[in-house]
Amino acid sequence: AQSVTQLGSHVSVSEGALVLLRCNYSSSVPPYLFWYVQYPNQGLQLLLKYTSAATLVKGINGFEAEFKKSETSFHLTKPSAHMSDAAEYFCAVKTGTASKLTFGTGTRLQVTL
Amino acid sequence: EPEVTQTPSHQVTQMGQEVILRCVPISNHLYFYWYRQILGQKVEFLVSFYNNEISEKSEIFDDQFSVERPDGSNFTLKIRSTKLEDSAMYFCASTTQGVVADTQYFGPGTRLTVL
């Protein structure tokens, strides 16, 4: 069975600081990993995805994530936080032929002045 | 840019009543999904749908739930007799091919409140 764990339900950073949101996965087969963002009162928007091509994946809004098989991790980073980054971030995994997404519990990012 | 739309944005119903949640997937997409998120919990898969039949369903998707594509544009989720624990945000998603690397595009959700 596939699963993801997101450490930290709430993360607070200052504007301009590094953003690091953690995601660890569990899968017996090579996973496909996704980060989605949810702004208030909106749906889930894809930030980036890992599909085994390159381990460092760049997404929208300056975010990137690195797939580390040895650590079973896919942490999301952004060098400099902006107020507009405040949102809920979800890590998700798909494996094999399964088309369903399995989500983590989400991390709410707060950006302060 | 094409997007998935959902109606209504908020539905309030009495326990035991039937509700239908509506979704309009992106027009050239072939695979459709419903997920739900109970307040404070993770987003959970309910069902996937392709070629007018269910491809996969979760344990949550019991006989009280059904899905339908009644015409070429709408995709609906029906809950026959709502329970208090059905209160959640329901998200519809669609994708082109349904393969594992595909991106699923999500709608804004319908917040269902069962009283």
Side-chain angles (χ1 to χ4, degrees), chain B residues 51-63:
Chain B
N51 200 25
N52 281 320
E53 57 183 38
I54 291 174
S55 306
E56 185 178 3
K57 61 183 180 180
S58 71
E59 293 175 351
I60 304 167
F61 195 88
D62 61 22
D63 292 343

Side-chain angles (χ1 to χ4, degrees), chain A residues 42-97:
Chain A
Q42 294 187 31
L44 299 165
Q45 180 184 5
L46 181 73
L47 274 177
L48 49 80
K49 63 181 180 182
Y50 167 75
T51 57
S52 77
T55 56
L56 182 62
V57 182
K58 295 188 185 298
I60 62 172
N61 303 337
F63 284 93
E64 63 181 38
E66 186 172 8
F67 174 74
K68 291 187 177 180
K69 184 179 178 181
S70 61
E71 299 177 8
T72 61
S73 69
F74 190 58
H75 301 330
L76 182 70
T77 60
K78 181 174 180 178
S80 177
H82 193 273
M83 295 296 288
S84 61
D85 295 327
E88 184 114 25
Y89 292 80
F90 294 93
C91 183
V93 63
K94 286 201 280 183
T95 57
T97 57

Side-chain angles (χ1 to χ4, degrees), chain A residues 36 38 43 49 94 96 99 101, chain B residues 35 91 100-104 107:
Chain A
Y36 281 85
Q38 185 180 29
K49 63 181 180 182
K94 286 201 280 183
S99 66
L101 285 162
Chain B
Y35 293 82
F91 293 105
V100 66
D102 261 1
T103 297
Q104 292 182 16

Side-chain angles (χ1 to χ4, degrees), chain B residues 16-80:
Chain B
Q17 295 297 303
E18 174 182 288
V19 295
I20 298 176
L21 310 183
R22 291 183 167 79
C23 167
V24 179
I26 294 172
S27 63
N28 64 338
H29 286 188
L30 301 175
Y31 291 79
F32 314 114
Y33 307 83
W34 284 102
Y35 293 82
R36 80 173 185 190
Q37 184 182 28
I38 295 172
L39 188 63
Q41 299 185 25
K42 64 173 67 176
V43 177
E44 302 172 289
F45 167 78
L46 291 179
V47 66
S48 59
F49 190 84
Y50 168 71
N51 200 25
N52 281 320
E53 57 183 38
I54 291 174
S55 306
E56 185 178 3
K57 61 183 180 180
S58 71
E59 293 175 351
I60 304 167
F61 195 88
D62 61 22
D63 292 343
Q64 292 300 311
F65 291 89
S66 63
V67 290
E68 189 178 32
R69 188 155 164 82
D71 53 44
S73 59
N74 288 282
F75 179 51
T76 62
L77 174 69
K78 182 193 292 186
I79 309 175
R80 285 190 187 80

